[in-house]
Amino acid sequence: MTLGDVERAAILAALFTYSAGGRLRMPTFLDEIFSPEQIARDDDSCANWGRDWTRDRAPAPSAVVFPKTAEEVQALVRRAAETATALVPSGGRTGLSGGAVAANGEVVVSFDKMNRIVDFDATDRIARCQPGVVTGALQSFAEDRGLMYPVDFASSGSSHIGGNIATNAGGIKVIRYGLTRDWVTGLQVVTGAGELLKCNQGLTKNATGYDLRHLFVGSEGTLGFIVEAEMRLAKAAQPHRVMVLGVPQFPDLLKVLAAFQQEITLSAFEFFSQIALDKVRAHRDLAEPLSTPTNFYALLEFDDSEEDAAMAAFARVMEEGWVTDGVLSQSDAQAASLWQLREGISESIAIYTPYKNDLAVKVSALPEFLTKVTDCVQAAYPDYEVCWYGHIGDGNLHLNILKPAALSIEEFYANCGTISPQIFALVEAAGGSISAEHGVGTLKADYLQFSRSPEQIAVMRGLKSLFDPHGIMNPGKLLV
Amino acid sequence: MKVMVPVKRVVDYNVKVRVKPDGSGVDLNNVKMSVNPFCEIGIEEAVRLKEAGSATEVIAVAVGSTACQEQLRTCLALGADRAVLIETTDEVQPLGVARALAALQAKEEAGLVIFGKQSIDGDNCQTGQMFAALANMPQGTFASEVTIEGDKVKVIREVDGGLQTVQLSMPAVVSTDLRLNEPRYASLPNIMKAKKKPLDVHSPQDLGVDVAPTMEVLNVAPPAERAAGIIVDSVEALVDKLKNEAKVIS
């Protein structure tokens, strides 16, 4: 009699025992697949590779492995399926939703050693990347060839292409260049069943039914692990300008957006509040951009060639009284320092261990939504500082509630947790998303129903069991 | 007192410079051009002197192609009162620029001329010094602090291993170092106002000078690519390589 997969997994799982420290003993099959330097089991490595940027759950993986080839990943998944060993994929570990946290004795699969750009074709403008290629490395690679990889965000110096795809990362240029999804022309994936799927192999046109590639984009490692990606590169960007405008009233930000979009093509339209600006300036010792501080700021980026049209739009928004002051970068160095005002915020508020929320509503619904959420937080906890910033051009707001110094982290998170359902109810009422670009991970898994109907969640569960029949691929994330 | 600030249009500091395949120069196609950062510091210092009441007028001057007007407008937006372009299609070199500026100084009689210590493209660090010689003016180069004291200017200079303080009788030449100040952003209302400020264009002939290049560039080559590193098996192997191959230890 042969054992079925499930039975075998159950028997093998029962063979594992807990060590004295409470950590699950490491599955022995890892040594059969990987050489010793590809396996780490010490506490420091487990703590390092076992988590992302979230700090609400302590990392406790049983081991970290560093595969070098797709074959090794496939062998690992197959053995993990047989032994019911849970696997957690790990990229640049810059996630903000706990999607890469291993807190329950899982084996972390780090793609740090699969970091090569294997191939590039100038005619197709496609770079074939291993999943561990750092986003910034792909950007430099493109730049060296007179091209551009246009998906960009504050963590591009650490984040991996594989992680970008698994979370469908967006960032600061979405308004013009779209999301990671729009640049993936092919994927090779090892599913939870241990199958290697080659999806779309770089084609632009491919009308042969379900495009499986897009199921893996944004799947947070719950269906399979990406082992190779074909990334399309864009024509190099024109020299650009950055403008920062002072906008006293939040609703006027949208009028400013519309006024500029009427005149020019924006490659970014970001906003931040005075509170956010104060924090980032203090943290990075940056100069005040405008001579007259105000409540909100918009940061715009556009091509140099559109400067005259942008100035015309500026004249209009000044006349209308929506904008009180503004500056325009006169060099790329200045453009970079103006961007710091926006990109440095997340890091500068980290010391306040903020309660983060990454929300999206339609652009037109933003003003009412922002007011309601602010009121909701202030009504419950009037002494909490609410720090807003985000990619307002695409409807994406980053809400950060800052912890008062006197409060313990536990109490603070617990308090914020009590208002989460109210905030998500506001999102649902506005027809928005409880996670615009940070993913669901563990942080929002309990709230998925605010953005997805029971029917949709049932379909998602069906897909999960189809691709990951043993439930070993990043369990506890996205769907719980 | 008038303050004159020569500014140079250069490839932006943040641009990754590429050498043309034929070695004739740097590829400027589709490349961002900006005010030389040291010249920008010069404009900022001049504007601060005016704001403090020490200067009455700030004049930004460029020698070069008509495209330099873009950088002069930036200077006007940053607070310069007027701009002068000495227009030439010749490749600009330090001596030609110094001659043209000396001729302009004879007309303008500025009390202080603030240069950037060098331009980030040519890295010559010559124009201010040549100008001082041609205009017969004292010079305080690599300034990290500039103070007007009556008809004199006190300049704290960044020299190797320390600071040197000099006092110059005006008219005088100052060249800026990095720590002199942090230039402000150009405000949009000021950029709009700058469009209406005067920008005069002269030819070198108007000033009676010749700015034709006196040096010929034979070849431009990028820095040699760094060889890839290797991973050694043991400390012994590392020590051996450092001793016998790299020869950095003995």
Side-chain angles (χ1 to χ4, degrees):
Chain A
M1 191 186 84
T2 53
L3 292 174
D5 275 348
V6 177
E7 288 155 283
R8 184 157 46 171
I11 291 165
L12 281 164
L15 293 175
F16 290 114
T17 52
Y18 282 88
S19 65
R23 181 182 289 169
L24 198 65
R25 200 174 288 163
M26 198 184 74
T28 48
F29 65 81
L30 296 179
D31 297 295
E32 297 161 22
I33 303 168
F34 299 105
S35 59
E37 86 274 3
Q38 287 176 279
I39 307 172
R41 51 193 83 174
D42 59 291
D43 289 347
D44 283 350
S45 297
C46 286
N48 183 46
W49 277 278
R51 71 176 175 192
D52 55 16
W53 272 359
T54 56
R55 292 291 177 266
D56 60 320
R57 296 188 321 148
S62 57
V64 185
V65 294
F66 300 90
K68 292 178 176 175
T69 62
E71 290 71 29
E72 285 178 355
V73 177
Q74 199 171 9
L76 170 69
V77 172
R78 286 186 172 163
R79 293 302 307 273
E82 288 166 10
T83 56
T85 306
L87 303 175
V88 173
S90 168
R93 305 184 304 282
T94 57
L96 294 166
S97 293
V101 174
N104 301 307
E106 302 96 328
V107 171
V108 171
V109 186
S110 165
F111 291 97
D112 279 4
K113 288 190 196 292
M114 291 178 73
N115 62 354
R116 282 183 309 115
I117 297 174
V118 211
D119 191 18
F120 169 70
D121 188 294
T123 309
D124 295 327
R125 276 197 198 154
I126 290 173
R128 204 148 57 81
C129 303
Q130 290 188 318
V133 170
V134 171
T135 314
L138 180 60
Q139 290 168 341
S140 308
F141 179 88
E143 205 179 303
D144 289 343
R145 282 151 189 80
L147 297 169
M148 167 175 66
Y149 179 63
V151 180
D152 194 21
F153 31 76
S155 59
S156 59
S158 318
S159 75
H160 289 184
I161 287 298
N164 293 177
I165 296 169
T167 55
N168 190 20
I172 53 183
K173 306 276 174 76
V174 171
I175 187 174
R176 180 160 182 185
Y177 297 106
L179 299 151
T180 300
R181 182 187 300 285
D182 300 299
W183 301 92
V184 179
T185 62
L187 275 188
Q188 288 192 28
V189 184
V190 174
T191 68
E195 319 266 352
L196 180 71
L197 300 185
K198 297 186 179 181
C199 311
N200 196 57
Q201 64 279 343
L203 298 173
T204 303
K205 291 190 168 184
N206 182 4
T208 53
Y210 314 129
D211 194 336
L212 301 180
R213 160 185 52 156
H214 288 300
L215 279 178
F216 291 96
V217 179
S219 65
E220 302 187 23
T222 59
L223 303 180
F225 293 166
I226 295 153
V227 290
E228 193 176 287
E230 287 174 275
M231 305 304 293
R232 192 160 53 88
L233 303 180
K235 183 163 78 87
Q238 295 294 306
H240 55 263
R241 296 262 184 169
V242 172
M243 197 183 255
V244 171
L245 304 173
V247 186
Q249 304 295 329
F250 185 84
D252 290 342
L253 275 168
L254 301 188
K255 297 177 191 164
V256 172
L257 173 64
F260 275 89
Q261 278 183 323
Q262 204 169 2
E263 299 283 343
I264 61 175
T265 304
L266 290 168
S267 46
F269 191 92
E270 300 283 310
F271 96 107
F272 43 91
S273 63
Q274 178 64 42
I275 293 172
L277 179 67
D278 288 345
K279 304 293 182 212
V280 74
R281 281 192 49 227
H283 183 68
R284 297 208 173 174
D285 193 20
L286 301 172
E288 183 93 61
L290 308 185
S291 48
T292 43
T294 186
N295 299 332
F296 295 101
Y297 297 86
L299 184 151
L300 296 71
E301 189 186 279
F302 51 87
D303 288 351
D304 236 355
S305 56
E306 299 206 282
E307 190 195 337
D308 289 346
M311 289 306 293
F314 174 73
R316 188 175 151 224
V317 296
M318 276 289 276
E319 264 167 41
E320 296 278 4
W322 301 330
V323 167
T324 47
D325 196 3
V327 292
L328 178 65
S329 68
Q330 300 297 312
S331 62
D332 281 357
Q334 281 195 349
S337 36
L338 287 172
W339 262 118
Q340 275 202 56
L341 297 172
R342 164 65 188 87
E343 292 209 286
I345 296 172
S346 188
E347 196 181 296
S348 69
I349 59 176
I351 49 164
Y352 301 94
T353 56
Y355 170 85
K356 286 177 170 292
N357 241 317
D358 162 50
L359 311 166
V361 294
K362 272 189 283 191
V363 178
S364 57
L366 282 168
E368 195 188 341
F369 178 72
L370 181 131
T371 310
K372 281 185 173 169
V373 173
T374 308
D375 290 350
C376 165
V377 177
Q378 299 292 349
Y381 300 103
D383 56 330
Y384 288 7
E385 240 180 337
V386 180
C387 176
W388 286 105
Y389 59 93
H391 320 291
I392 194 175
D394 54 46
N396 183 184
L397 295 174
H398 294 311
L399 161 68
N400 284 261
I401 305 174
L402 309 187
K403 184 181 80 63
L407 211 59
S408 76
I409 293 188
E410 293 74 24
E411 194 183 342
F412 173 68
Y413 280 137
N415 290 350
C416 289
T418 62
I419 41 178
S420 283
Q422 297 172 48
I423 294 173
F424 294 143
L426 291 170
V427 174
E428 189 178 21
S433 171
I434 60 158
S435 182
E437 61 176 2
H438 291 175
V440 175
T442 53
L443 217 57
K444 291 190 173 167
D446 289 333
Y447 305 107
L448 196 58
Q449 71 276 12
F450 287 100
S451 281
R452 297 296 188 105
S453 68
E455 295 79 6
Q456 281 197 65
I457 292 173
V459 173
M460 287 164 77
R461 284 191 195 286
L463 287 170
K464 165 84 176 164
S465 58
L466 184 65
F467 285 103
D468 178 26
H470 315 289
I472 56 166
M473 304 303 265
N474 214 7
K477 318 292 163 58
L478 182 57
L479 299 165
V480 287
Chain B
M1 179 186 69
K2 280 187 200 175
V3 180
M4 185 159 97
V5 185
V7 295
K8 187 172 185 187
R9 171 184 166 91
V10 297
V11 171
D12 191 280
Y13 164 75
N14 276 32
V15 168
K16 211 189 261 178
V17 170
R18 280 192 199 86
V19 173
K20 284 186 201 167
D22 65 1
S24 64
V26 166
D27 189 355
L28 296 182
N29 188 28
N30 206 12
V31 163
K32 175 89 178 167
M33 303 295 284
S34 303
V35 177
N36 177 43
F38 292 108
C39 303
E40 202 183 1
I41 293 171
I43 288 286
E44 177 67 30
E45 195 62 19
V47 171
R48 287 186 190 186
L49 288 175
K50 193 186 168 192
E51 285 168 350
S54 304
T56 51
E57 189 182 30
V58 177
I59 311 158
V61 188
V63 183
S65 70
T66 185
C68 296
Q69 293 198 21
E70 193 189 324
Q71 279 63 45
L72 288 172
R73 288 286 170 206
T74 296
C75 297
L76 293 171
L78 290 170
D81 297 291
R82 64 187 170 91
V84 177
L85 170 62
I86 301 168
E87 192 176 327
T88 172
T89 50
D90 279 332
E91 184 207 329
V92 290
Q93 292 182 352
L95 186 56
V97 174
R99 280 186 184 136
L101 292 170
L104 187 69
Q105 165 66 0
K107 282 172 56 177
E108 295 284 357
E109 297 181 330
L112 197 60
V113 183
I114 307 179
F115 284 82
K117 72 166 178 181
Q118 69 196 73
S119 60
I120 61 168
D121 53 356
D123 266 351
N124 291 306
C125 187
Q126 294 172 346
T127 311
Q129 292 87 330
M130 287 175 169
F131 171 88
L134 291 169
N136 197 24
M137 285 159 68
Q139 55 181 309
T141 49
F142 317 129
S144 62
E145 199 179 312
V146 174
T147 321
I148 305 290
E149 294 173 340
D151 59 352
K152 295 195 163 55
V153 54
K154 189 177 86 179
V155 178
I156 298 181
R157 305 181 60 224
E158 306 229 337
V159 293
D160 285 349
L163 299 171
Q164 182 190 50
T165 307
V166 294
Q167 195 183 47
L168 316 170
S169 298
M170 292 195 285
V173 174
V174 167
S175 82
T176 64
D177 217 317
L178 202 59
R179 267 171 283 199
L180 181 57
N181 61 51
E182 192 185 329
R184 67 195 68 188
Y185 294 112
S187 91
L188 283 154
N190 286 343
I191 292 171
M192 291 164 78
K193 284 180 209 148
K195 291 196 196 317
K196 299 193 181 87
K197 289 185 180 176
L199 194 163
D200 298 324
V201 181
H202 299 301
S203 70
Q205 290 75 31
D206 294 343
L207 298 167
V209 290
D210 177 14
V211 298
T214 52
M215 284 183 302
E216 187 190 349
V217 175
L218 299 179
N219 187 42
V220 177
E225 286 213 16
R226 217 174 126 215
I230 56 161
I231 294 174
V232 292
D233 292 329
S234 64
V235 174
E236 287 73 27
L238 176 67
V239 171
D240 178 65
K241 287 202 182 290
L242 289 175
K243 234 182 216 173
N244 300 318
E245 280 183 34
K247 295 191 169 47
V248 290
I249 54 173
S250 54

